């Protein structure tokens, strides 16, 4: 992946920096394992990039690198300005050249060892991408406090919505707590700034329910140790009905004193083994999982009960808001799944303890290729929130099709909710800068498995890499992240990196073109979610409909004639979506039911847009293939061939989508394609 080594060192490109790389002056730091990790990563990184192993010493002169926390050595402290330590906070860092006559050095420093570790990875990234000069002066502080990944891994080794092999954490109900793969993963995550990980599926099945018991805690602790050395805290998903399922109690009622006591004891056990345990992630009353509703209690009752148990140890509850009726009657047009999260949670604002964090998916439905931003984000002033993205490509090509998701996430982060007037973007809300949240940040469902290349499709690695980079600094552009990843991963060939970045940048729009049009979503094969099946969910209980008939298509979510969902947004946004004239084309069918002859802002009719985009999508996949073929010889043969294979499969997929969608809508609407292309 992007920490990969073995490219030919380019000494010339390193220029004067090269002189600094031969000696590393360490500080005699007791501290935690993170300092050792930082030194080790720096030494190994430099060796792999330059081909020469640097020497570590406790003092020296001439040109060198030095690394440590502020306060640990006078060489470091002399390079830090007054007040800088405070500005760096717990995770920020500086990389700075200092010139003091006999001593000319580059200092890598953080206020904490964690900051220092991030400095090391940043330094190596700059070195490897040719972004380091001998006048370096970089200060970085992450935008978000919680920067997490979630794993939907099960203890039998399967991964729910995993497209890259089996779990790296479990096999046959055993934790792989001594696996080198887990440590490698910790390195990958830390190198892009991730600081929290939930290692089991939010759907907590029988064996996983016991992860918080002494049967499994020793192994959980070993995995936590691995991540701790990389500055990453461990979290577990828990089963709300655990007191019953583990055979201890007959109820899981959050207001029952025995239940409360039970969870307090469990929390105490967990902290015995993992003293810096992050907390519990909970999917309750969602898709048939147990929760407080069984006992006539609400989600504040449920979350607070767990929060009380974790509070003495500084743990948090990540309580998911993916709560909706999954037994809906398709005949009932008044119930709207998109409304559900807001309707359930907004009235509870002010009732949650301050170590509860509501975890909200980026859109109101479920990680579709296109959705509006969830109106719940920012809507609760007094309740901590964390935004949830999906790195694993459940609905976006399943790591068979290329779909670089950073541009999608950036659109979400840049969305202005206007909750507190202009500038109330998701980006600022998730940073706790719009409402003063005690805990906030961003999380996402990971896309890795035990495949040798981690992500099934090589190019899907860019999503994991980019996710970390983006939530460290959401101002980075998608292009820059793509180029950085390509250079780190495929070696220092700028032209090749540009081509790969172009392919990535084009991929989400292409995927959107040949799949579901204008924000309508859900035209996928039920359960699998790969490949077209237009009516697959149309008469189902899941609340996922497009309502296409012979006249038109789309879901009327307006306040005036529809489900009223549009009213969940602040006035300016609500009006924007409510009004057919102002609703953006790409979300038109999410908010409105319109005739096929309705004219979009582009000037095209809806039906012609459907035909055109589906033909274009396939043509553009063909163009991507020819661009990729142009890379032959510029990147290593194995990965070149692997991606060729995936792209051929993507082309078949795109053709299938094109023909199924076009044919379906031609037959429904009886309106021919203006350009007379083949539709079946
Ligand atoms: C989707 C996904 C499920 C997952 C769920 C969730 O519905 O298909 O596999 O469990 O989201 O986020 O909880």
């Amino acid at each position: 992946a992007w920490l990969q080594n073995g490219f030919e060192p380019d000494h010339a490109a390193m220029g004067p920096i090269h002189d600094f790389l031969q000696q590393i002056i360490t500080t005699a730091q007791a501290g935690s394992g993170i300092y050792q990790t930082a030194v080790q990563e720096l030494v190994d990184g430099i060796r792999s990039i330059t081909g020469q192993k640097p020497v570590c010493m406790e003092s020296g002169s001439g040109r060198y690198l030095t690394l440590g926390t502020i306060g640990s050595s006078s060489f470091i402290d002399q390079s830090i300005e007054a007040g800088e330590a405070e500005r760096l906070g717990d995770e920020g860092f500086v990389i700075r050249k200092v010139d003091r006559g006999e001593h000319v050095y580059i200092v890598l420093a953080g206020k904490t060892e964690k900051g220092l570790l991030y400095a090391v990875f940043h330094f190596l990234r700059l070195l490897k991408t040719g972004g380091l000069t001998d006048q370096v002066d970089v200060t970085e502080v992450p935008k978000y406090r919680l920067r997490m990944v979630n794993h939907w891994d099960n203890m039998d080794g399967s991964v729910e919505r995993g497209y890259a092999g089996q779990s790296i954490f479990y096999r046959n109900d055993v934790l792989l707590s001594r696996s080198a793969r887990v440590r490698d993963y910790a390195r990958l995550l830390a190198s892009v700034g991730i600081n929290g990980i939930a290692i089991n599926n939010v759907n907590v099945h029988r064996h996983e329910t016991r992860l918080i018991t002494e049967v499994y805690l020793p192994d959980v602790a070993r995995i936590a140790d691995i991540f701790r050395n990389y500055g990453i805290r461990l979290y577990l998903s828990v089963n709300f009905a655990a007191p019953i399922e583990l055979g201890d109690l007959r109820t899981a009622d959050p207001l029952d004193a025995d239940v409360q006591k039970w969870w307090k004891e469990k929390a105490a056990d967990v902290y015995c083994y993992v003293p810096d345990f992050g907390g519990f992630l909970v999917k309750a009353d969602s898709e048939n999982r147990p929760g407080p509703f069984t006992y006539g209690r609400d989600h504040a009752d449920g979350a607070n009960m767990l929060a009380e148990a974790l509070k003495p140890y500084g743990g948090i509850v990540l309580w998911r808001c993916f709560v909706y009726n999954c037994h809906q009657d398709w005949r009932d047009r008044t119930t709207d799944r998109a409304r559900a999260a807001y309707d359930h949670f907004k009235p509870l604002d002010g009732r949650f303890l301050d170590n509860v964090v509501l975890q909200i998916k980026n859109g109101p439905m479920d990680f579709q290729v296109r959705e509006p931003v969830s109106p719940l984000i920012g809507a609760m002033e007094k309740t901590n929130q964390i935004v949830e993205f999906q790195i694993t490509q459940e609905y976006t090509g399943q790591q068979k099709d290329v779909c670089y998701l950073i541009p999608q996430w950036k659109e979400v982060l840049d969305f202005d909710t206007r909750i507190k007037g202009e500038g109330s973007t998701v980006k600022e809300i998730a940073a706790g800068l719009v409402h003063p949240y005690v805990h906030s940040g961003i999380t996402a469902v990971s896309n890795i498995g035990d495949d040798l290349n981690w992500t099934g499709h090589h190019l899907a690695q860019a999503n994991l890499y980019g996710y970390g980079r983006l939530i460290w600094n959401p101002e980075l552009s998608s292009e820059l992240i793509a180029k950085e990843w390509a250079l780190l991963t495929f070696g220092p060939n700028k032209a090749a990196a540009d081509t790969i970045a172009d392919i990535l940048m084009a991929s989400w729009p292409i995927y959107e073109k040949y799949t579901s049009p204008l924000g309508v979503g859900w035209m996928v094969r039920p359960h699998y979610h790969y490949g077209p099946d237009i009516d697959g969910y149309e008469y189902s209980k899941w609340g996922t409909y497009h309502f296409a008939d012979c006249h038109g298509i789309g879901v009327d979510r307006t306040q005036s004639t529809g489900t009223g969902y549009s009213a969940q947004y602040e006035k300016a946004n609500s009006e924007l979506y409510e009004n057919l004239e102002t609703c953006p084309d790409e979300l038109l069918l999410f908010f409105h039911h319109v005739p096929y002859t309705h004219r979009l802002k582009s000037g095209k009719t809806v039906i012609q847009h459907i035909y055109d985009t589906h033909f274009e999508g396939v043509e553009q996949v063909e163009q991507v293939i020819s661009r990729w073929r142009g890379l032959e010889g510029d990147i290593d043969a194995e990965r070149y061939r692997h991606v060729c294979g995936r792209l051929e499969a993507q082309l078949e997929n795109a053709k299938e989508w094109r023909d199924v969608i076009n044919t379906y809508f031609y037959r429904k609407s009886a309106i021919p394609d203006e350009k007379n292309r083949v539709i079946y």
Side-chain angles (χ1 to χ4, degrees), residues 70-285:
I70 297 170
S72 66
S73 108
S74 60
F75 287 99
I76 288 171
D77 292 357
Q78 282 165 16
S79 68
I80 303 296
E81 292 150 19
E84 197 161 16
E86 271 50 60
R87 286 199 294 282
L88 293 181
D90 285 344
E91 301 187 296
F93 61 81
V94 292
I95 301 173
R96 182 171 292 155
K97 182 201 171 179
V98 183
D99 192 339
R100 288 193 203 290
E102 239 185 83
H103 294 269
V104 184
Y105 53 95
I106 296 174
V107 61
L108 283 69
K111 189 177 144 200
T112 65
E113 295 186 345
K114 227 165 131 185
L116 174 62
L117 179 65
Y118 296 140
V120 166
F121 282 120
H122 196 74
F123 179 83
L124 294 172
R125 176 162 47 237
L126 291 175
L127 187 61
K128 218 166 153 188
T129 54
L132 202 59
T133 70
D134 65 344
Q135 297 307 319
V136 60
D137 189 355
V138 174
T139 305
E140 293 252 347
V141 178
K143 176 92 177 178
Y144 303 106
R145 278 166 289 172
L146 294 168
R147 302 182 302 281
M148 293 191 54
V149 289
N150 290 179
H151 277 263
W152 288 357
D153 296 29
N154 301 313
M155 289 193 69
D156 63 4
S158 64
V159 179
E160 183 157 332
R161 311 306 176 188
Y163 311 104
Q166 297 281 100
S167 171
I168 63 163
F169 294 110
Y170 316 96
R171 188 66 27 87
N172 302 326
D173 305 321
V174 171
L175 279 95
L176 306 175
S177 60
R178 294 172 205 279
S179 148
R181 206 69 201 266
V182 173
R183 182 172 169 274
D184 287 344
Y185 187 46
R187 296 181 62 213
L188 285 177
L189 293 180
S191 76
V192 291
I194 301 296
N195 67 7
I197 182 168
I199 58 165
N200 65 305
N201 191 356
V202 288
N203 296 314
V204 186
H205 307 296
R206 204 175 109 227
H207 287 288
E208 295 79 1
T209 302
R210 297 157 77 205
L211 280 170
I212 53 170
T213 69
E214 305 216 312
V215 178
Y216 288 126
L217 278 172
D219 285 315
V220 170
R222 266 192 286 276
I223 290 187
D225 293 344
I226 297 171
F227 283 109
R228 183 179 307 111
N229 282 336
Y230 282 88
I232 300 166
R233 275 183 145 193
L234 190 106
Y235 296 70
L236 291 173
S237 298
V238 294
N239 181 341
F240 197 80
I244 304 173
E245 288 192 22
L246 293 178
D248 294 333
L249 300 175
R250 302 176 90 155
T251 176
D253 181 351
L255 299 192
D256 182 291
D258 289 338
V259 173
Q260 294 168 355
K261 184 161 160 275
W262 189 92
W263 279 106
K264 284 185 176 150
E265 284 166 9
K266 280 288 166 286
D269 291 347
V270 174
Y271 280 93
C272 258
Y273 285 91
V274 186
D276 60 346
F277 180 66
F280 296 148
L281 171 59
V282 193
K283 172 174 179 177
D285 292 316

Side-chain angles (χ1 to χ4, degrees), residues 537-586:
Y537 275 119
E538 194 58 14
Y539 307 101
S540 77
K541 59 184 183 173
W542 294 97
T544 45
Y545 316 115
H546 54 66
F547 299 128
D549 58 23
C550 62
H551 306 293
I553 175 175
V555 190
D556 185 352
R557 294 194 162 102
T558 63
Q559 215 182 347
S560 47
T561 53
T563 68
Y565 166 79
S566 66
Q568 291 183 341
Y569 292 90
E570 276 304 296
K571 195 158 172 284
N573 289 327
S574 163
E575 285 171 4
L576 179 89
Y577 294 136
E578 174 82 11
N579 189 325
L580 199 53
E581 277 68 56
T582 54
C583 183
D585 281 353
E586 70 273 13

Side-chain angles (χ1 to χ4, degrees), residues 152 160-161 201-203 283 286-287 320 322 324 337 361 366-367 388 390 394-395 527 529:
W152 288 357
E160 183 157 332
R161 311 306 176 188
N201 191 356
V202 288
N203 296 314
K283 172 174 179 177
S286 164
E287 300 187 327
R320 295 178 87 229
F322 188 55
Y324 67 97
R337 169 166 164 181
K361 288 192 182 186
D366 193 6
F367 302 133
E388 179 180 332
Q390 193 183 44
E394 177 178 359
Y395 294 96
H527 181 66
H529 303 164

Side-chain angles (χ1 to χ4, degrees), residues 470-488:
L470 182 70
I471 67 168
W472 177 279
N473 178 4
E475 303 307 328
L476 295 176
S477 75
S478 304
E479 290 93 331
L480 182 131
I481 294 173
K483 276 186 196 165
E484 217 179 68
W485 174 78
L487 279 174
L488 294 170

Side-chain angles (χ1 to χ4, degrees), residues 311-444:
K311 207 172 185 93
Y313 315 95
I316 61 175
V317 176
L318 296 158
W319 188 270
R320 295 178 87 229
C321 296
F322 188 55
V323 178
Y324 67 97
N325 177 2
C326 63
H327 295 279
Q328 199 181 317
D329 182 348
W330 58 269
R331 299 165 192 84
D332 161 24
R333 285 226 185 178
T334 57
T335 307
D336 180 3
R337 169 166 164 181
R339 292 187 56 126
Y342 185 99
D343 284 346
H344 278 296
F345 285 93
K346 167 79 178 163
L348 301 177
D349 195 17
R351 298 240 345 260
F352 291 93
L353 293 179
D354 67 6
N355 61 329
V356 174
V357 188
L358 295 186
Q359 183 163 317
I360 307 170
K361 288 192 182 186
N362 62 269
M365 295 298 276
D366 193 6
F367 302 133
Q368 299 300 291
V369 65
R370 172 79 65 175
E371 285 185 47
V373 167
S374 167
L376 187 59
I377 298 174
M380 299 174 72
E381 219 167 299
K382 304 189 200 90
T383 311
N384 301 320
Q385 298 190 337
I386 185 167
V387 175
E388 179 180 332
F389 290 124
Q390 193 183 44
I391 312 173
T392 194
Q393 291 169 240
E394 177 178 359
Y395 294 96
T396 49
Q398 303 203 348
Q399 285 142 245
K400 294 191 183 81
D401 301 27
V402 196
C403 191
Y404 179 56
L405 291 166
I406 314 305
Q408 188 199 58
W409 301 332
K410 268 189 94 77
E411 278 192 22
V412 173
L413 293 175
D414 288 340
F415 178 73
D416 194 347
T417 67
R418 295 171 186 258
I419 292 279
K420 275 196 147 184
E422 248 176 76
S424 311
T425 54
V426 172
K427 184 156 65 187
E428 300 302 300
I429 291 166
L433 297 173
V434 172
H435 310 306
Y437 295 149
V438 184
H439 301 279
S440 59
I442 302 191
T443 190

